[in-house]
């Protein structure tokens, strides 16, 4: 009911609120989400699942808005509340977000939330996000899976079942064809999808891929990997509808047949034969009745298949097919490759022929049988010769030809025949099909001669057999045999035929290849043919195409279609082939479709490339003008291209088209002939062009013929040698005739024909070296340079230099092949050849492979063996030779490579040759690294590479300097590092360049660069000073200040000493001046400069001052300060300087403050006070030295300012503390020495100074507290100030009897700036020691104390009584409580350690062990010494210590209301209670309960004590504050839990604690219970009780209980409660009296109404009495008062129930109506009657009489007596006369008239309106 009510209430609260607002509210709070969905679904009248999706859509929009506002934490909370995956949602939002910053922000939040996102989960999220994108593109797939995926997002996909997800992936792949999904697909599901979708084509592709391993596209590759399993085939057989024939065949290939064909053997065989898999399905066929099936249908040859078992053939032997089956069985049984098998098969064939061909003539028609017989008897050649001549084997043509070969060639060369198997297969493979179905066999010679067709093979047959080379050979041979010569026309016709053959079989690539090869071997160009075939193969061709030109146009349009589909891929190859064919088309026109396409799109750049590349005529461009989208663009292109040599271009094109060489013309003719063009005209054109080419060949060159030169140079003169280079030059320049070799050399030089030098070397071996030189010089074109050098050179020393000059020139000119060939021709054995080959391979072939490196290594190997010797050169020293070779390598690298990348590869190649292991002249590896660094600059700098050979080359230094000048500082630094050159200048120049460019980096970056390059820090200082000087003083003050500060930071960090480069004092002065001149808003953002002592020492020491004033002055260097230029400070600057000094004092940097006050000679008051305080505390000055102003300032200090340095609760007067220390200690000291008056005055002065400080308060507090600590400890101030170990000072305070111990400890804590954790640990250790120490006093057995020992005092204070003082020492008492709990854990660990059990080590455990070691020796359980010493840490001691620690920890937590700590203590206390209960340590349980005093949470302690009958333990002697809480706890426990004997326990506790009120309440409660039992058992009606002796006893007991309650209330001074209890007791007494009277009347046998008994009670078994204890309402009370009770009883009843008594009604009822005469007397005896009461009685009577009158009951006159008595009692004469007159009491009226009162009555005129008065009555 409550939930329904709450639900309705929630629904009502949502009325009037918008739907979106409610959704946001419940999603944010995480409450009532389901109620919201239900509420709005009912309101919208839609299903709940459907509305749930709408709900999440609104939440998603809400979260996206939160993320857009960067409220990621709130968005994460909302997603958690609606049970959405945060990482999926955030990642998808980041991917969909258009704002890259917001996307990165969300991803950063995910990285911070889950650091392993990108390592573990990001690939998964990427994968699912790609699936989401693909699904969103497939609307059909989304609609299909609407129920499964109502919303497409990452989380929905991740929550899909694996099976459903795989099915979705399969459908998604086949919907969009994304190959990335293939690895994730399940092949079974793919197969099922294809089967269910009826994709038979894909199924066929799968089967083909598996069978043939086709891998064309990714899907087929996947098909090839996925082997089709049996279950997949079976699924397809069951679910596939109407499979096609090809698919049935593929299934049959795998051995699976559809149900409709499974029993049809013919169909099975047909499908297996179609797929050629009879052998594979042999096990399947063996199970079928295949033999009978084939035999019935006459498929006898198929019976030889291995799939037909022999046993099945043997079953069919009966009948007319028995001979054939026997033959087949023998053929299947025996092996032809074995001789025995061949012999048996031969016999079986002969037997078959005998049984089927009756007669010998038939056997004669089978000469092979004879041959088989011959083969069975190990034939030889000689026996075959005789056998052939003597048998009918001559009829076999093959054997006859064999015999003829034997006759021509003889048999001596070969004595062995082929084996029987070989001969058999020879006959088997002969093609006997010689006509239209006619069988031509060797044994049927006449038929062959009559009907066989004679055929002559030509070259085309060999082309068709793909033997192009043999076809050309056969063509040439045939033409020579027939005509004796071969003309170009004949070859042309052959090529034309081959072209036609290629065009006819364009689909056969092998045949086309051989046709093209045939034409090429006949020296005809096939370029057009290949272009035509390429286009025909690549582009679609219309079924019916017209002319050749139209076909070209169709191909052009097809290329345009391809370009439109794939605009990024231009079909260059196909378009080039098309343009090549168009160029050969004589009468056609150029294809323009593609050109028009580009013109329509104004793609002028593509058009320009096409016109330039294919040299199209300008007429084509002119025709394109109408097709341009912008015609002006076409006109401009036409004008631009017309400036070229248009006529030359057209003429060149015409020449290319009309006047090409014979190869092109013949090819063009071939192509045109393939299209049925005019063959004769082309042939004439070919002849004409051929003749023209020959003419051009004859008149091409007019230079002398080589043979003529050779003939002219030849003579018979003897050969002479060339002795020197000068002689060679002389000979070459002379015109005289010399020997043949020299003449050839002269012609070689003059005609520049190097080949003549080769001829000369063949004639004269002695001049071979000179021939080499001339060949090299002429071939490389260096003859003029050689002549020029020779004119300068002198013999003989310079000849070597000239040879090297020639070689270097060849290398420099790039003539590397020439150089290589020169050595290969003339010096093939020279070791220098390897170097030349290395140079040629690296430069011209770009070959840097290992084979190239091998050439260089071979050269180095020969060099190391001194095997390198150049011709015509003197032997050079090894080192000099290597130096020259290195020069060649560098020159080669410099001149013969186009780009730096190739040079780097070249150097890498040299490095890989390990040249550094052979020679150390040049470090190529270093050079390679240098190139890697300075590669982009080497070409610009003009470095001479040859100069790099020398180690001390200045090129390296010049290169570094040049890079530095070019501002390529990074490269310069890297080079300098490699070359081990100085870096400082480069770095400094780099910094200056950056500074000039306005770039100034962070200081940390400069520091890193200095450290990286190991530079002196002074460089950075100088740079920063220069940068600071470059800043404008007006606009860039802040930057200047920061730079000066950074320079000082460098000096400070690296401990630099002042030098001539910089002055530290001046720098600091300038920095502070800049600070003082800054704008006001900048002062808040800049960092101030601190001293080295402050940053490196004081900050590590918590900014605590440990130095004296003299030491601080020395650190500040005040005495050595010198400033050259000082400025005058304005008032504003002085104020800022004062603020700066105050800020330094606040942060604690006293050293920098002293320096600044000395630099500027300015000292503010706070700094003055601190300095004076230090001097005063150190005794350097005294109070007497104060000036009058300072004295006046200090005299105004009030005492109330001192607590600034004190804790209030710890600040006690010395005399009081002294007396308390003496009274609480056990020392024998009678007095303490009070600190001297001088120290006290100094302290007061210091306190005054400290209270006046506004800045530097911490420094002042340190000085004041250190001085006070030293004064109370009676130590020197400097000793205390310099003591850094706090424990030493605390130990002194604990051990020495000093005043104000707690204040001293507090001063030590505060002055040394201990952290709250350190203070807590220190106090916890001391408290634990005080708790542990008394437990380790060693007592003898007779000296054991009765009670547990009291905790020891700490610093003169009882830790139980004064624990609040120790809490004041702790800034964070929660930390102190945690430390005490750690000691609790350590105590447990120590217990386990003592019991030799595993325990956990901790810091607290070590400290606890130290305490135990110091104050006691632990023993094991069973170890007891002879002296009777108990074990040191027994269970009882352990429990005592644990209890005390818990109590103290609880007090710490309570002091700061740490609920977590309190709960921890209570949890430990609960566990400890169980242990104490087991150990029966009742006193410790009580101690734990009383000490923690959380009684309600610790009721388990009461349980333990009561269950073990130890409740009296709680009733001990406790303090008053403890007693009150315990008393209330006991009462609450006994009342709430009501344990066994709770009443006795409650009485016991109440009596013990004098709880009178509680006792009274107990008595009252018992009496009330008695009354309840009486009402339930003895009640006879609302106002009657059944009287009995038991009832009397119960009423008597209740009377006694109320009496006891009254006594206790009186003892507790609860008077009102006592009166209430007395009234109850009187009521019980009255009820008891009524019962007694009723019993007495029952005993006397009489009774009446006056006794309170009804008339019918006499017949009852038990007497009845009036019930006054059962009054529940006022009506019952009124009835009892008016009818039953007397006046005393009425008074008792009124006091008991608190109801007021209406005495007028009671008198009327009992005295007047009931005529009880004594009632008035009782009333008068107890109450004082008034006139108003009597008047009310009369009024009541009249009212009663009126009722009786209306009921026709006349009033009785018997009431007159009673009324007369009442009226007589009236004191008022008027009222008496009035009432008497009304009532008709004439006697009273007459008496009044006769009396003297009549005059009064007449004066009042009473009685005239008598009737009216009566009416008013």
């Amino acid at each position: 009911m409550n939930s329904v009510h709450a639900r309705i209430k929630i629904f009502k609260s949502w009325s009037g609120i918008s739907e979106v607002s409610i959704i946001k509210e419940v999603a944010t709070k995480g409450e009532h989400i389901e109620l919201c969905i239900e509420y709005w679904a009912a309101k919208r009248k839609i299903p709940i699942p459907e509305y749930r999706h709408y709900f999440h859509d609104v939440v998603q929009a809400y979260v996206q808005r939160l993320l857009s506002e960067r409220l990621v934490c709130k968005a994460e909370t909302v997603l958690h509340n609606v049970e959405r995956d945060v990482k999926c949602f955030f990642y998808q939002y980041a991917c969909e977000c258009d704002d890259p910053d917001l996307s990165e922000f969300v991803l950063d939040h995910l990285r911070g939330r889950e650091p392993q996102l990108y390592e573990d989960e990001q690939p998964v999220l990427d994968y699912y996000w790609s699936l989401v994108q693909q699904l969103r593109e497939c609307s059909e797939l989304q609609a299909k899976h609407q129920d499964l995926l109502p919303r497409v997002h990452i989380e929905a996909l991740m929550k899909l079942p694996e099976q459903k997800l795989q099915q979705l992936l399969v459908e998604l792949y086949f919907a969009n064809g994304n190959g990335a999904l293939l690895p994730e697909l399940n092949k079974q599901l793919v197969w099922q999808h294809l089967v269910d979708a009826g994709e038979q084509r894909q199924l066929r592709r799968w089967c083909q891929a598996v069978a043939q391993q086709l891998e064309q596209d990714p899907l087929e590759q996947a098909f090839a990997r996925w082997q089709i399993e049996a279950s997949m085939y079976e699924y397809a057989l069951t679910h596939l509808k109407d499979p096609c024939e090809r698919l049935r065949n593929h299934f049959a290939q795998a051995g699976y047949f559809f149900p409709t064909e499974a029993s049809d053997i013919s169909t099975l065989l047909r499908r297996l034969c179609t797929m050629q898999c009879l052998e594979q399905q042999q096990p399947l066929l063996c199970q079928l009745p295949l033999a009978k099936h084939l035999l019935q249908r006459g498929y006898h040859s198929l019976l030889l298949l291995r799939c037909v078992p022999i046993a099945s053939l043997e079953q069919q032997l009966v009948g007319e097919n028995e001979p054939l089956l026997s033959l087949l069985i023998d053929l299947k049984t025996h092996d032809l490759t074995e001789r025995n098998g061949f012999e048996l098969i031969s016999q079986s064939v002969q037997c078959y022929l005998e049984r089927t061909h009756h007669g010998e003539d038939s056997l004669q028609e089978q000469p092979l049988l004879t041959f088989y017989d011959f083969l069975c008897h190990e034939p030889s050649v000689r026996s075959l010769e005789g056998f052939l001549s003597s048998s009918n084997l001559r009829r076999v043509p093959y054997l006859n030809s064999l015999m003829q070969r034997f006759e021509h060639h003889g048999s001596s060369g070969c004595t062995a025949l082929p084996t029987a198997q070989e001969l058999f297969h020879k006959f088997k493979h002969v093609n006997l099909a010689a006509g239209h179905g006619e069988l031509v066999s060797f044994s049927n010679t006449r038929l062959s001669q009559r009907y066989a067709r004679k055929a002559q093979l030509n070259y085309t047959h060999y082309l068709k057999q793909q033997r192009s080379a043999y076809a050309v050979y056969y063509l040439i041979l045939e033409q020579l045999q027939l005509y004796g010569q071969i003309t170009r026309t004949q070859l042309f016709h052959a090529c034309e035929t081959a072209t036609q053959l290629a065009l006819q079989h364009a689909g056969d690539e092998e045949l086309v290849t051989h046709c093209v090869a045939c034409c090429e071997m006949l020296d005809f160009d096939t370029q057009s043919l290949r272009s035509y075939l390429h286009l025909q193969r690549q582009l679609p061709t219309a079924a019916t195409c017209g002319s050749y030109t139209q076909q070209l146009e169709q191909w052009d349009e097809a290329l345009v279609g391809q370009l439109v589909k794939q605009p990024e891929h231009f079909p260059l190859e196909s378009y080039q082939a098309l343009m090549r064919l168009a160029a050969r088309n004589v009468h056609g026109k150029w294809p323009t479709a593609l050109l028009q396409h580009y013109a329509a799109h104004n793609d002028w750049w593509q058009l320009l490339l096409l016109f330039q590349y294919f040299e199209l005529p300008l007429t084509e461009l002119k025709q394109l003008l109408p097709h341009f989208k912008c015609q002006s663009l076409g006109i401009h292109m036409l004008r631009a291209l017309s400036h070229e040599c248009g006529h030359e271009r057209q003429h060149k094109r015409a020449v290319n088209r009309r006047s090409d060489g014979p190869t092109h013309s013949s090819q063009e003719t071939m192509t045109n002939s393939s299209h049925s063009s005019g063959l004769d005209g082309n042939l004439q054109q070919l002849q004409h062009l051929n003749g023209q080419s020959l003419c051009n060949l004859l008149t091409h060159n007019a230079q002398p013929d080589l043979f003529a030169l050779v003939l002219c140079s030849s003579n018979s003169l003897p050969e002479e040698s060339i002795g020197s280079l000068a002689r060679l030059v002389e000979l070459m320049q002379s015109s005289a005739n010399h020997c043949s070799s020299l003449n050839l050399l002269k012609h070689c030089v003059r005609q520049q024909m190097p080949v003549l030098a080769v001829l000369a070397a063949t004639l004269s071996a002695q001049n071979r070296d000179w021939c080499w030189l001339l060949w090299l010089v002429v071939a490389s074109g260096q003859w003029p340079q050689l002549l020029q050098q020779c004119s300068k050179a002198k013999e003989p020393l310079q000849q070597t230099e000239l040879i090297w000059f020639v070689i270097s020139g060849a290398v420099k000119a790039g003539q590397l092949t020439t150089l290589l060939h020169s050595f290969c021709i003339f010096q093939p054995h020279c070791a220098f050849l390897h170097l030349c080959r290395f140079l040629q391979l690296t430069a011209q072939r770009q070959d840097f492979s290992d084979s190239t490196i091998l050439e260089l290594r071979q050269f180095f190997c020969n060099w190391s063996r001194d095997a390198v010797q150049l011709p015509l050169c003197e032997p050079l020293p090894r080192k000099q030779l290597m130096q020259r070779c290195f020069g060649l390598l560098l020159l080669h690298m410099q001149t013969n490579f186009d780009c730096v990348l190739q040079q780097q590869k070249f150097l890498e190649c040299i490095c890989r040759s390990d040249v550094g292991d052979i020679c150390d002249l040049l470090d190529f590896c270093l050079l390679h690294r240098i190139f890697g660094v300075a590669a982009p600059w080497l070409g610009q700098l003009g470095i001479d590479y040859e100069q790099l050979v020398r180690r001390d080359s200045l090129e390296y230094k010049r290169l570094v300097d040049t890079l530095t000048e070019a501002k390529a500082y990074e490269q310069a630094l890297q080079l300098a590092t490699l070359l081990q050159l100085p870096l400082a200048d480069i770095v400094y120049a780099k910094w200056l360049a950056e500074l000039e460019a306005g770039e100034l980096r962070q200081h940390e970056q400069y520091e890193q660069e200095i450290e990286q390059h190991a530079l002196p820090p002074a460089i950075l200082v100088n740079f920063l000073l220069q940068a600071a000087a470059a800043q404008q003083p007006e606009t860039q003050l802040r930057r200047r200040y920061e730079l000066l500060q950074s320079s000082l930071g460098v000096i400070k960090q690296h401990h630099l000493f002042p030098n001539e480069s910089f002055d530290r004092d001046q720098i600091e002065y300038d920095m502070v001046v800049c600070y003082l001149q800054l704008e006001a808003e900048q002062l808040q953002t800049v960092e101030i400069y601190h001293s080295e002592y402050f940053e490196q020492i004081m900050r590590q020491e918590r900014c605590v001052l440990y130095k004296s004033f003299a030491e601080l002055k020395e650190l500040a260097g005040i005495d050595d300060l010198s400033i050259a230029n000082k400025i005058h400070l304005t008032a504003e600057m002085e104020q800022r300087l004062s603020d700066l000094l105050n800020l330094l004092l606040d942060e604690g940097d006293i050293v920098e403050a002293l320096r600044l006050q000395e630099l500027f000679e300015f000292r503010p008051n706070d700094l003055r006070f601190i300095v004076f305080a230090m001097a005063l505390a150190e005794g350097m000055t005294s109070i007497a030295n104060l000036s009058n102003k300072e004295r006046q300032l200090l005299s105004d200090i009030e005492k109330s300012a001192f607590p600034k340095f004190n804790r209030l609760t710890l600040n006690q007067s010395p005399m009081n503390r002294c007396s308390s220390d003496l009274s609480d200690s056990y020392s024998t000291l009678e007095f303490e020495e009070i600190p001297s008056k001088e120290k006290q005055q100094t302290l007061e002065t210091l306190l005054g100074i400290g209270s006046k400080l506004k800045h530097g308060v911490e420094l002042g507090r340190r000085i004041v507290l250190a001085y006070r600590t030293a004064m109370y400890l009676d130590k020197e101030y400097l000793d205390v100030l310099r003591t850094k170990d706090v424990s030493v000072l605390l130990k002194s305070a604990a051990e020495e009897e000093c005043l104000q111990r707690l204040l001293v400890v507090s001063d030590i804590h505060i002055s040394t700036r201990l952290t709250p954790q350190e203070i807590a640990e220190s106090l916890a250790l001391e408290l634990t020691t005080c708790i542990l120490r008394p437990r380790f006093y060693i007592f003898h057995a007779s000296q054991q104390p009765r009670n547990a020992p009291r905790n020891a005092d700490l610093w003169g204070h009882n830790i139980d009584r004064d624990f609040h003082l120790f809490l004041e020492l702790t800034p964070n008492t929660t930390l102190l409580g945690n430390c005490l709990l750690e000691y609790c854990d350590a105590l447990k660990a120590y217990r386990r350690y003592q019991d030799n059990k595993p325990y956990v080590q901790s810091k607290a455990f070590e400290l606890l062990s130290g305490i135990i070691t110091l104050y006691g020796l632990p023993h094991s359980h069973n170890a007891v010494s002879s002296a009777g010493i108990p074990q040191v840490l027994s269970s009882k001691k352990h429990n005592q210590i644990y209890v005390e620690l818990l109590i103290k920890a609880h007090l710490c937590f309570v002091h700061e209301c740490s609920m977590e700590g309190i709960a921890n203590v209570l949890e430990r206390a609960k566990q400890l209670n169980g242990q104490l209960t087991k150990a029966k340590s009742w006193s410790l349980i009580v101690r734990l309960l009383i000490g923690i005093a959380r009684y309600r949470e610790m009721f388990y302690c009461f349980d333990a004590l009561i269950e073990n009958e130890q409740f009296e333990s709680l009733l001990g002697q406790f303090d008053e504050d403890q007693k009150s809480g315990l008393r209330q706890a006991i009462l609450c426990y006994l009342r709430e839990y009501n344990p066994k004997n709770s009443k006795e326990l409650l009485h016991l506790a109440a009596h013990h604690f004098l709880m009178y009120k509680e006792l009274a309440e107990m008595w009252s409660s018992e009496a009330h219970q008695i009354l309840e039992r009486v009402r339930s058992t003895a009640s006879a009606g609302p106002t009657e009780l059944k009287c009995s002796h038991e009832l009397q006893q119960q009423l008597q007991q209740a009377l006694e209980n109320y009496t006891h309650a009254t006594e206790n209330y009186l003892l507790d001074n609860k008077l009102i409660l006592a009166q209430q209890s007395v009234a109850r007791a009187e009521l019980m007494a009255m009820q008891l009296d009524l019962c007694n009277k009723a019993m007495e009347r029952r005993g006397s046998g009489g009774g009446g109404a006056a006794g309170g008994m009804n008339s019918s009670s006499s017949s009852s078994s038990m007497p009845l009495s009036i019930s006054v204890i059962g009054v529940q309402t006022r009506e019952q009370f009124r009835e009892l008062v008016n009818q039953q009770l007397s006046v005393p009883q009425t008074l008792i009843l009124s006091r008991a129930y608190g109801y007021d008594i209406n005495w007028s009604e009671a008198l009327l009822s009992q005295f007047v109506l009931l005529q009880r005469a004594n009632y008035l007397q009782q009333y008068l005896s107890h109450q004082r009657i008034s006139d108003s009461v009597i008047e009310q009685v009369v009024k009541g009577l009249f009212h009663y009489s009126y009722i009786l009158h209306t009921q026709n009951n006349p009033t009785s006159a018997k009431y007159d007596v009673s009324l007369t008595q009442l009226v007589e009692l009236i004191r008022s004469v008027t009222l008496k006369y009035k009432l008497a007159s009304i009532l008709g009491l004439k006697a009273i009226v007459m008496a009044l008239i006769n009396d003297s009162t009549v005059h009064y009555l007449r004066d009042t005129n009473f009685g005239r309106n008598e009737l009216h008065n009566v009416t008013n009555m």
Side-chain angles (χ1 to χ4, degrees), residues 240-260:
L240 191 61
K241 298 178 180 179
D242 300 330
C244 61
E245 289 294 318
R246 295 176 61 185
L247 187 61
R248 292 176 184 269
N249 291 336
H250 285 298
F251 274 51
Q253 185 180 9
Y256 294 91
F257 301 92
F258 287 87
T260 57

Side-chain angles (χ1 to χ4, degrees), residues 1780-1814:
S1781 301
I1782 293 173
L1783 294 175
L1785 302 178
K1786 297 179 179 180
I1788 298 176
V1789 172
M1790 293 306 294
L1792 289 175
I1793 292 174
N1794 295 328
D1795 198 3
S1796 57
T1797 58
V1798 67
H1799 304 290
Y1800 174 76
L1801 291 173
R1802 287 177 180 177
D1803 291 339
T1804 57
N1805 199 17
F1806 189 77
R1808 295 181 181 181
N1809 297 325
E1810 197 172 318
L1811 180 60
H1812 179 70
N1813 294 334
V1814 172

Side-chain angles (χ1 to χ4, degrees), residues 122-230:
Q122 188 190 8
V124 179
L125 295 175
D126 283 337
Y127 168 69
Y128 280 102
W129 169 238
S130 65
L131 294 184
V132 169
Q133 292 176 309
Q134 297 174 43
L135 275 175
R136 290 177 177 175
E137 295 174 359
C138 302
S139 57
E140 297 178 358
L141 198 59
Q142 281 185 266
K144 180 180 178 182
H145 296 281
Q146 182 65 30
D147 296 336
L148 184 65
L149 282 175
R151 300 293 185 273
V152 180
H153 47 75
I154 295 177
E155 183 179 356
L157 291 179
M158 294 182 71
K159 290 183 178 180
L160 280 180
E162 185 65 24
Q163 185 77 7
K164 296 292 184 181
L165 180 60
Q166 287 294 332
Q167 292 178 358
L168 184 62
L169 291 180
V170 171
E171 296 180 12
L172 184 60
Y173 171 75
F174 286 103
N176 58 12
N178 186 4
L181 295 176
L182 270 177
E184 306 296 333
L185 300 184
N186 185 290
K187 67 177 182 179
Q188 285 85 359
L189 295 179
V190 175
W191 180 270
Q192 293 178 11
H193 171 76
L194 295 178
V195 170
D196 296 338
E199 295 286 343
Q200 298 188 21
R201 176 176 172 273
Q202 297 292 351
L203 292 174
R204 292 198 307 272
R205 289 179 63 193
W206 196 336
C207 296
Q208 291 174 0
V210 172
Q212 304 176 13
Q213 296 297 319
L214 298 177
E215 298 184 3
Q216 296 181 359
D217 57 9
L219 181 58
E220 290 187 351
Q221 294 177 7
F223 285 162
R225 294 193 304 270
W226 295 339
Q227 295 297 324
I228 306 176
E229 300 175 356

Side-chain angles (χ1 to χ4, degrees), residues 541-644:
T541 306
T544 57
C545 57
S547 64
Y548 179 56
T549 303
Q550 293 177 351
Q551 191 171 12
L552 294 181
E553 292 176 355
Q554 292 180 0
W555 282 336
D556 191 16
E557 294 175 355
L559 288 176
V560 173
Q562 287 187 3
L563 186 62
V564 171
K565 293 180 180 179
Q566 296 181 344
E568 68 275 3
H569 299 292
F570 181 80
L572 178 61
E573 186 177 359
S574 299
Y575 192 74
Q576 192 172 8
L578 178 65
M579 299 301 291
R580 192 179 294 117
L581 293 178
R584 298 295 180 185
N585 188 14
V586 180
H587 301 290
K589 60 180 182 179
W590 295 95
T592 59
L594 185 62
L595 301 177
Q596 293 175 2
H597 170 73
Y598 282 130
H601 291 82
N602 287 335
D603 292 336
W604 61 272
W605 176 246
Q606 288 82 349
L607 285 174
L608 182 62
L609 289 178
L610 292 178
F611 272 85
Q612 291 287 340
Y613 185 78
F614 295 106
E615 298 182 357
L616 298 179
L618 295 181
T619 56
E620 296 297 326
L621 181 59
K622 186 175 182 181
Q623 295 176 3
L624 285 178
L625 292 180
H627 299 280
F628 273 94
K629 185 177 181 181
C630 179
Q631 292 189 0
S632 59
L633 179 63
I635 294 173
H636 292 322
M637 282 190 62
L638 185 61
R639 289 177 179 175
L641 292 177
S642 64
H643 284 286
E644 297 182 0

Side-chain angles (χ1 to χ4, degrees), residues 1388-1425:
K1388 291 182 180 179
Y1390 190 85
R1391 183 68 178 175
R1392 298 183 62 84
Y1393 158 72
Q1394 183 174 281
D1395 296 342
N1396 296 324
K1397 295 180 181 180
Y1399 63 96
V1400 179
Q1401 281 275 8
S1402 64
K1403 180 180 178 181
F1405 175 82
E1406 298 296 335
L1407 296 174
L1408 185 70
S1409 301
I1411 297 172
I1412 295 175
T1413 304
L1414 181 62
Y1415 295 105
L1417 297 176
H1419 297 276
S1420 62
H1421 285 293
N1422 301 323
V1424 179
S1425 64

Side-chain angles (χ1 to χ4, degrees), residues 593 641 1074 1149 1354 1373 1688:
L641 292 177
C1074 289
D1149 192 357
L1354 176 60
T1373 58

Side-chain angles (χ1 to χ4, degrees), residues 433-444:
H436 300 285
E438 179 183 2
L439 180 62
V440 179
S441 64
F442 292 104
S443 62
N444 194 353

